[in-house]
């Protein structure tokens, strides 16, 4: 879990005004996030924080780490207005050190079946309409089931998106249970799902928070970037930077 922050604050203290969104560490020097969270920003505007938990408390067993962003690579087909192909790689100026509270995430090559138990996390608002100052605090986690594409589209057509809404191939859904959802401020944060035997507690990254219609309304799922859809693109861009892709590959 990575926090995307504005670098201009020149301070290690947390500020909701400097918080941009979430991301996922897939290589010591690479963060995967949603492109709409870094829209209009340059690399020199940003830094990434790893190992954070309680943003309002520095007295923790394991401290956080920060690294500046050296380069941002966005998907060439990213379309901001509709949050399509919203994926970006943040290449860091220096690598994060792996620690008990800082690790690398595996990237799933294809979506698991509908109903798979997944989890999303972030420092976003607890409910829609909350003050912006409520972004931050303690890192939160919510359990969400994956939805099939057809079920996701059918449910979203019952919202203000209208009966003509078509779910883009770069997006997927999770959740739909009342009171259980990601919310404003969670954009770009990871959605991880079980891999293999659920009792083994192994997870991989399958989505990134894109947008929602409200937060936790009954029957309305959250919309996520379909991370496996960009698996080959991520590999290609990392190889162009001379970096190994083995850090996020896994065998079930």
């Amino acid at each position: 879990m990575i926090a995307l922050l504005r670098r201009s604050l020149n301070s290690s203290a947390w500020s909701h005004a400097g918080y941009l969104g979430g991301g996922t560490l897939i290589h010591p020097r690479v963060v995967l996030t949603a492109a709409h969270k870094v829209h209009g920003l340059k690399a020199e505007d940003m830094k990434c924080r790893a190992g954070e938990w309680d943003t309002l408390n520095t007295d923790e067993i394991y401290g956080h780490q920060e690294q500046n962003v050296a380069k941002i690579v966005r998907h060439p087909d990213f379309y901001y207005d509709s949050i399509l192909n919203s994926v970006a790689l943040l290449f860091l100026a220096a690598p994060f050190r792996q620690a008990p509270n800082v690790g690398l995430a595996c990237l799933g090559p294809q979506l698991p079946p509908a109903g798979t138990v997944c989890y999303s996390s972030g420092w976003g608002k607890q409910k829609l309409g909350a003050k912006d100052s409520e972004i931050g605090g303690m890192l939160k986690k919510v359990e969400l089931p994956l939805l099939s594409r057809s079920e996701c589209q059918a449910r979203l057509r019952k919202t203000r998106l209208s009966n003509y809404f078509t779910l883009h191939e770069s997006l997927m859904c999770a959740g739909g249970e009342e009171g259980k959802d990601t919310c404003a401020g969670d954009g770009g944060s990871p959605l991880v799902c079980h891999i293999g035997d659920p009792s083994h507690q192994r997870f991989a990254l399958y989505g990134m928070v894109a947008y929602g219609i409200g937060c936790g309304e009954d029957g309305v799922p959250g919309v996520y970037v379909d991370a496996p859809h960009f698996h080959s693109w991520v590999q290609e861009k990392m190889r162009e930077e001379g970096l190994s892709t083995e850090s996020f590959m896994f065998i079930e």
Side-chain angles (χ1 to χ4, degrees):
M1 179 74 213
I2 294 292
L4 310 182
L5 305 172
R6 293 187 183 276
R7 197 192 304 184
S8 59
L9 296 180
N10 295 320
S11 171
S12 61
W14 182 274
S15 167
H16 71 268
Y19 174 69
L20 298 167
T24 305
L25 192 65
I26 61 171
H27 180 280
R29 282 192 53 221
V30 184
V31 172
L32 179 64
T33 188
H36 66 281
K37 299 310 300 181
V38 298
H39 181 63
L41 295 173
K42 299 178 181 178
E44 55 265 32
D45 298 328
M46 296 182 59
K47 61 183 178 180
C48 293
R49 181 180 291 190
E52 183 60 275
W53 179 51
D54 183 355
T55 66
L56 305 178
N57 182 10
T58 57
D59 185 20
E60 296 179 5
I61 297 175
Y62 304 108
H64 64 258
Q65 304 175 38
E66 289 188 352
Q67 296 294 347
N68 290 334
V69 176
K71 183 178 183 179
I72 301 174
V73 177
R74 301 172 181 83
H75 195 278
D77 297 324
F78 167 56
Y79 182 57
Y80 179 78
D81 290 349
S82 300
I83 316 296
L84 306 181
N85 299 305
S86 185
V87 59
L89 291 171
L90 310 181
F91 294 95
L92 307 176
F96 280 115
R97 304 182 311 276
Q98 292 197 56
N101 62 333
V102 178
L104 304 178
C106 295
L107 178 56
Q110 60 185 20
L111 283 178
T116 299
V117 174
C118 305
Y119 298 87
S120 191
S121 54
W123 289 278
K125 297 180 181 181
Q126 301 237 37
K127 61 182 179 179
L128 196 64
K131 297 178 181 179
D132 287 345
S133 59
E134 292 186 24
I135 291 177
M138 212 161 279
L139 183 64
K140 298 173 285 292
K141 178 181 73 174
V142 61
E143 180 180 314
L144 304 164
L146 276 189
L147 270 65
S148 67
R149 293 188 60 82
S150 59
E151 178 68 14
C152 171
Q153 182 170 278
R155 292 199 194 186
L156 291 175
R157 283 183 172 181
K158 295 178 181 179
T159 70
R160 58 180 171 80
L161 294 175
S162 86
N163 288 330
Y164 300 101
F165 172 78
T166 299
L167 185 68
H168 192 261
E169 62 182 2
S170 66
L171 298 168
M172 42 83 80
C173 286
E177 299 178 31
E178 185 174 4
K180 298 177 68 175
D181 199 2
T182 49
C183 200
D186 287 322
S189 295
L191 178 76
V192 301
C193 307
H194 282 288
I195 55 176
D197 187 339
S199 66
H200 294 165
Q201 294 297 297
R202 297 177 66 233
F203 301 87
L205 176 71
Y206 288 96
M208 297 176 286
V209 178
Y211 63 87
I213 309 299
C215 297
E217 296 181 9
D218 189 21
V220 181
V223 182
Y224 295 77
V225 179
D226 184 340
H229 184 73
F230 299 100
H231 197 276
S232 60
W233 180 83
V234 171
Q235 292 185 76
E236 176 188 345
K237 295 305 168 185
M238 288 187 60
R239 287 169 181 156
E240 288 179 2
E241 297 296 319
L243 299 176
S244 171
T245 61
E246 292 183 1
S247 61
F248 62 80
M249 308 294 275
F250 71 91
I251 299 175
E252 291 193 40

